[in-house]
Amino acid sequence: MNGRSSMGWCFGRAGAWLVLLFLVLPALIALPVSLTPERYLSVPKDSMSLRHYANLFSSDEWISSIFQSLVIACGAAILATVLGTLCAIGLWRISTRFSEAIRALLLLPLIIPPIISAMAFYRVWVKLGLLDSYLGMIIAHAILAAPMVLITVSAALANFDPKLEQASRNLGAALPTTLRRVIFPSIRPGILAGAVFAFILSWDEIVVTLFIAKFRVFTLPRRMWDGIRENTDPTVAAAAVVLIVVTLTALLLSVLLSRGRAPAAETKET
């Protein structure tokens, strides 16, 4: 029985790795294409060149798009982290059937197709005057990313001992002090993970951006979209590699922070 269980576990892990490779490998084709010496999209044969990376980091248009994406992604990550964390703590404290209905409602942005969300944002943003603005982009991306923060923080709160909060309140600490000194430090890994996922979602987002950004806001994914549609400049492949590297760096940072917090928590308990 144990042998069958271990064999099933091995097959499960192998299947998971195959699925992961199936999803990731197509994106990695951007790396060899970005090194082509040609002026069109192609895989290098005899030689490789960094000319397209030089064009990416020397062109004012591409640099502006990278900067805009970073500003919008950081702003959206901060706003989504604040909203998602407060919502998760509020729903955790209420803990009723009504709160579960609210949680399901807040998770709708993850379920609704992006094209539907994009059209809804466009209609509302036109009336509010937020179309083609940094504020409109940050708010839209934060709304889309807040459910990710809600999920990670709720998972962290599931392992939080409510007796710690009760002890803090019994010792006379006010609610803001309890949040700052007891709850937030305990769920910090979940908050950091949510912030990273919110940043990645905003950094890579394209569908909503195409609807609510016109002339002033040109994020990196939108610049890549226009580059593919209007010409076949391999600089688009170099930009895709930058997107992938930033995304993987953010994920790696999240893993390192969570691992760093775990030993610290174990040390405090001992």
Side-chain angles (χ1 to χ4, degrees):
M1 194 68 179
N2 292 334
R4 292 182 179 178
S5 300
S6 60
M7 186 177 297
W9 173 252
C10 292
F11 277 116
R13 291 187 62 180
W17 277 107
L18 288 176
V19 172
L20 181 62
L21 291 175
F22 176 78
L23 295 174
V24 172
L25 286 179
L28 298 182
I29 192 63
L31 180 58
V33 172
S34 67
L35 297 174
T36 181
E38 308 295 339
R39 294 185 178 182
Y40 53 88
L41 294 175
S42 61
V43 178
K45 297 180 180 179
D46 299 328
S47 62
M48 295 185 293
S49 173
L50 296 175
R51 58 183 296 185
H52 304 296
Y53 287 96
N55 181 45
L56 175 66
F57 293 108
S58 62
S59 171
D60 292 338
E61 292 181 349
W62 285 103
I63 291 295
S64 175
S65 295
I66 293 174
F67 176 76
Q68 291 182 47
S69 289
L70 287 173
V71 170
I72 292 172
C74 290
I78 293 172
L79 182 57
T81 301
V82 173
L83 295 176
T85 300
L86 293 179
C87 289
I89 293 176
L91 294 174
W92 171 71
R93 286 181 59 85
I94 297 173
S95 187
T96 62
R97 293 181 179 178
F98 184 67
S99 66
E100 293 304 317
I102 296 177
R103 187 189 305 275
L105 181 65
L106 294 175
L107 294 177
L108 280 179
L110 295 179
I111 303 172
I112 299 176
I115 188 68
I116 303 299
S117 300
M119 290 189 293
F121 279 124
Y122 179 81
R123 293 291 301 273
V124 176
W125 265 218
V126 168
K127 296 180 180 179
L128 296 178
L130 295 175
L131 204 64
D132 198 22
S133 66
Y134 284 97
L135 181 61
M137 290 287 295
I138 290 173
I139 294 176
H141 286 187
I143 292 174
L144 296 175
M148 300 296 298
V149 183
L150 176 63
I151 291 174
T152 58
V153 176
S154 297
L157 286 169
N159 297 322
F160 177 74
D161 189 357
K163 295 180 180 179
L164 297 176
E165 180 193 8
Q166 296 174 3
S168 175
R169 300 299 298 273
N170 291 335
L171 291 173
L175 180 58
T177 304
T178 302
L179 287 172
R180 188 177 70 255
R181 304 291 292 273
V182 179
I183 297 179
F184 284 157
S186 300
I187 62 173
R188 192 173 300 168
I191 297 175
L192 293 175
V196 170
F197 287 132
F199 176 87
I200 293 173
L201 189 147
S202 176
W203 173 255
D204 293 336
E205 208 286 320
I206 180 60
V207 178
V208 172
T209 302
L210 290 175
F211 273 75
I212 66 176
K214 296 300 179 182
F215 305 105
R216 293 197 306 167
V217 180
F218 252 92
T219 62
L220 185 58
R222 187 188 172 196
R223 183 75 64 185
M224 294 170 59
W225 174 269
D226 289 348
I228 294 175
R229 187 180 61 177
E230 297 175 359
N231 53 61
T232 56
D233 186 3
T235 306
V236 175
V241 173
V242 171
L243 276 176
I244 295 172
V245 169
V246 172
T247 301
L248 293 178
T249 301
L251 289 173
L252 180 61
L253 180 62
S254 174
V255 172
L256 292 177
L257 289 175
S258 62
R259 287 184 177 180
R261 296 292 175 184
E266 293 177 0
T267 303
K268 286 184 178 180
E269 291 179 358
T270 55

